[in-house]
Amino acid sequence: MAIDYRAILNEVVSHAAESGFFNNVNSHEPIRSHPGSGLTASVWLDSITPIRSSGLATTSVLVVLTVRMYRSTVASPLDDVDAVLADAVSALMDAYQGDFTLGGLVRHVDVFGAYGTPLGVKGGYIQQPESEYRVLDLKLPLVIDDVADQAV
């Protein structure tokens, strides 16, 4: 019993790649390199928290992933920057709710935040040496049952 993080990450990245919105999809946060041109998505681990769920002798967890979508603020036309990001994030939210268990890898996407973090999006900007980017951070909370046995 453990978290199959690579399989979960691959499933989340696959949904983003298959959406058709992104020029690039990374399975990491681009720290040393700029996100690239067009629309880019990056997925990384945000948190893992034990939750009260499952049996008396096992621990279940809430795994929260961040799916960040980037678009350069010098994209043209400027009025389309948020609209394009909103279309992409809407498609991803639909995909993650539609594949509620990520192919059986998790119990469910915690859409309404029963264990803390709901499925949601927050916008902002980041500055890279080459450009400034408009970003939307999608928090993807995943409930995973029975990842550890507790000693009795």
Side-chain angles (χ1 to χ4, degrees):
M1 292 198 275
I3 300 169
D4 191 351
Y5 178 72
R6 287 188 194 278
I8 292 167
L9 181 65
N10 289 339
E11 191 71 17
V12 171
V13 166
S14 290
H15 279 293
E18 291 168 5
S19 74
F21 281 96
F22 303 101
N23 294 37
N24 301 300
V25 180
N26 304 310
S27 58
H28 64 280
E29 183 176 10
I31 297 169
R32 293 185 184 94
S33 62
H34 64 89
S37 63
L39 201 55
T40 298
S42 296
V43 182
W44 65 84
L45 178 64
D46 186 79
S47 65
I48 300 174
T49 308
I51 59 173
R52 292 193 172 136
S53 181
S54 284
L56 295 174
T58 60
T59 300
S60 297
V61 296
L62 178 69
V63 173
V64 179
L65 301 179
T66 296
V67 182
R68 177 173 284 168
M69 289 144 277
Y70 305 79
R71 179 136 188 207
S72 173
T73 57
V74 297
S76 186
L78 285 174
D79 288 343
D80 283 351
V81 171
D82 273 5
V84 168
L85 283 165
D87 288 344
V89 78
S90 178
L92 286 185
M93 289 180 79
D94 286 350
Y96 298 136
Q97 291 178 85
D99 187 7
F100 199 57
T101 65
L102 294 182
L105 295 169
V106 303
R107 181 182 0 144
H108 67 271
V109 175
D110 194 6
V111 176
F112 298 109
Y115 295 101
T117 302
L119 179 68
V121 178
K122 184 165 176 63
Y125 294 88
I126 61 167
Q127 186 68 44
Q128 294 274 343
E130 299 81 12
S131 185
E132 181 179 67
Y133 293 87
R134 176 74 166 125
V135 297
L136 294 181
D137 286 349
L138 170 65
K139 295 299 181 181
L140 181 59
L142 307 169
V143 176
I144 305 172
D145 284 332
D146 305 332
V147 297
D149 289 325
Q150 297 175 359
V152 265

